[in-house]
Amino acid sequence: MNSPLYLSPAAKMIAAGFLGFAAGFIMMKSDLIWRRSVFGIFLLKDGRLIKTFLLYLILGCIGFFLLRRMNLVEVHIVEGYFWSAVVGGVLSGIGMVFCGFTPATALASFSCGRLYVLWTLIGMLLAVPFVKYANSFLSKTIYSWSDRMLSVSEPHNFLNPANPGLYIVIFSAFLIFLVHFTIGDKE
Amino acid sequence: MGIFNTKWPFYFSGTMLAFIILLSLYILNDVIGMGDTMTVANEFCHKSIDSGTPRAVPFDYCTIFAVAMMFGAFTASLFSNNFRLQIAPDCGGSFTSRQFKGVIGGLLGGFITMLGVQLSGESIYGHLAGAIQLSGNSWLFLLSMLFSGTLLAILFDRKGISQEGGDSK
């Protein structure tokens, strides 16, 4: 029977090592870890990176659908709250304009010798206890403004008009062509 | 060797990115985000400071993923001759001014970014994995992030506040 690999804890650690190495290598070779890349995407200047993410969405949506149909993967999503996702997204966007990194790209960039990223990592570490201490306040506000969002139902056919993934693929493919013929690959 | 020392085109980068995230879902049966790693690192620092002596690093597979990711990026930078020790970002101005921007922008930006990540319950890497699983939470987060980031970056750009740069690829 097809299923995800249910590895033992030790095997999972070894696998995580290989996957982490590959992820770091891919992120660096794709130019995703630089401060400049964030601004290239936000200012719509770097067509190559925008197309990378759009292609990722296309292949990821199709790939996940196929693997899910074969029972090789399970759904792993955080069923968050509407307002926490919106406020969290807005804050992360603002933060990324100031520092130019996400947690993953900050670690990867630091390991490539960009020592000034240490300040970003310290800032990130300081935010963790802050949220912990503000938890009771957040529970009364952002987390209580909306109900927990449920995941979408999984269609049996990818081409089913009720499948949101179909629209994501079509729209992303359209955007790739648009970006290719407008922004191009060069910054 | 071309694949190791040249810049990857978008079709290869996008394919590899999708491949590694789907492979993680298959092999680890989980999405690894850096939010968990930061929480573990924070608790490690907190306990070490409280006890006055460094404690053993808590090794779970999230921590190993993060450490291995750093090695992967380091190896790739060596292949592409892109490893360079830099203590201030290349964002124009004198060394002191760049250093100041690096410290203030880094601390403030890092704090706000992680605040957003913690509020939404998943890291940005995790939200990218959530997006292909059609998670409404992840799509809302990513679209809000893109909207606010683009708006602020354009405003900064129009005001001539040089936030661009930081490193040469």
Side-chain angles (χ1 to χ4, degrees):
Chain A
M1 191 184 144
N2 289 339
S3 68
L5 294 182
Y6 295 110
L7 298 173
S8 65
K12 214 170 184 179
M13 282 193 178
I14 294 168
F18 282 109
L19 287 168
F21 185 87
F25 198 93
I26 291 167
M27 284 201 294
M28 195 274 146
K29 290 303 292 179
S30 306
D31 280 343
L32 295 174
I33 63 167
W34 307 122
R35 197 169 184 268
R36 186 188 293 263
S37 306
V38 168
F39 297 100
I41 293 171
F42 282 154
L43 292 171
L44 304 179
K45 283 183 176 174
D46 195 335
R48 193 170 68 91
L49 289 176
I50 297 170
K51 285 190 288 182
T52 297
F53 278 112
L54 291 169
L55 183 66
Y56 157 74
L57 288 175
I58 294 175
L59 297 177
C61 280
I62 297 171
F64 182 77
F65 178 82
L66 294 174
L67 292 175
R68 186 84 191 98
R69 293 287 293 153
M70 290 187 276
N71 285 326
L72 290 174
V73 290
E74 291 171 359
V75 176
H76 289 282
I77 56 174
V78 175
E79 291 178 350
Y81 300 89
F82 179 88
W83 285 109
S84 70
V86 172
V87 174
V90 168
L91 285 175
S92 291
I94 294 169
M96 279 169 69
V97 172
F98 278 105
C99 66
F101 296 101
T102 71
T105 60
L107 281 174
S109 196
F110 181 70
S111 65
C112 293
R114 274 48 172 193
L115 302 179
Y116 59 88
V117 184
L118 187 65
W119 299 109
T120 304
L121 290 169
I122 291 171
M124 287 177 178
L125 281 174
L126 290 175
V128 179
F130 180 81
V131 173
K132 212 181 277 179
Y133 292 130
N135 207 23
S136 62
F137 169 74
L138 293 171
S139 300
K140 285 179 208 158
T141 52
I142 293 173
Y143 293 141
S144 64
W145 290 341
S146 56
D147 289 331
R148 202 171 262 271
M149 283 190 293
L150 300 173
S151 57
V152 293
S153 58
E154 297 172 52
H156 291 289
N157 181 359
F158 192 81
L159 299 175
N160 186 337
N163 177 18
L166 176 68
Y167 300 103
I168 291 168
V169 168
I170 293 171
F171 192 60
S172 299
F174 169 73
L175 283 180
I176 285 182
F177 278 104
L178 194 67
V179 169
H180 186 76
F181 291 110
T182 51
I183 304 171
D185 275 356
K186 287 183 181 172
E187 279 184 66
Chain B
M1 287 297 283
I3 197 170
F4 291 112
N5 49 26
T6 56
K7 196 182 258 193
W8 286 359
F10 85 91
Y11 49 85
F12 194 69
S13 303
T15 309
M16 292 307 286
L17 202 60
F19 175 73
I20 198 70
I21 288 184
L22 289 173
L23 194 68
S24 300
L25 278 170
Y26 172 60
I27 293 180
L28 300 174
N29 195 24
D30 195 7
V31 176
I32 298 182
M34 291 302 121
D36 294 340
T37 310
M38 287 288 174
T39 310
V40 170
N42 180 272
E43 279 171 12
F44 164 71
C45 295
H46 188 75
K47 282 177 184 169
S48 297
I49 290 167
D50 274 357
S51 64
T53 50
R55 296 218 157 192
V57 180
F59 268 115
D60 60 354
Y61 68 92
C62 290
T63 318
I64 289 183
F65 184 90
V67 173
M69 193 186 70
M70 291 175 78
F71 271 110
F74 171 71
T75 310
S77 73
L78 291 182
F79 272 119
S80 353
N81 287 326
N82 217 334
F83 182 86
R84 199 173 68 228
L85 287 176
Q86 219 179 322
I87 53 170
D90 292 332
C91 48
S94 65
F95 178 77
T96 317
S97 134
R98 287 189 292 123
Q99 185 80 307
F100 183 74
K101 280 179 189 172
V103 175
I104 300 300
L107 281 173
L108 189 68
F111 184 85
I112 299 173
T113 305
M114 188 48 95
L115 195 63
V117 162
Q118 293 278 314
L119 275 179
S120 70
E122 187 65 274
S123 74
I124 295 163
Y125 188 81
H127 278 304
L128 280 174
I132 62 170
Q133 300 176 64
L134 310 178
S135 158
N137 186 32
S138 296
W139 275 99
L140 266 175
F141 176 89
L142 290 174
L143 291 175
S144 311
M145 187 185 82
L146 199 63
F147 178 76
S148 67
T150 302
L151 194 69
L152 193 63
I154 289 172
L155 287 173
F156 275 176
D157 199 44
R158 284 173 70 95
K159 276 300 250 180
I161 301 169
S162 179
Q163 283 287 324
E164 244 186 297
D167 33 51
S168 47
K169 292 179 201 171

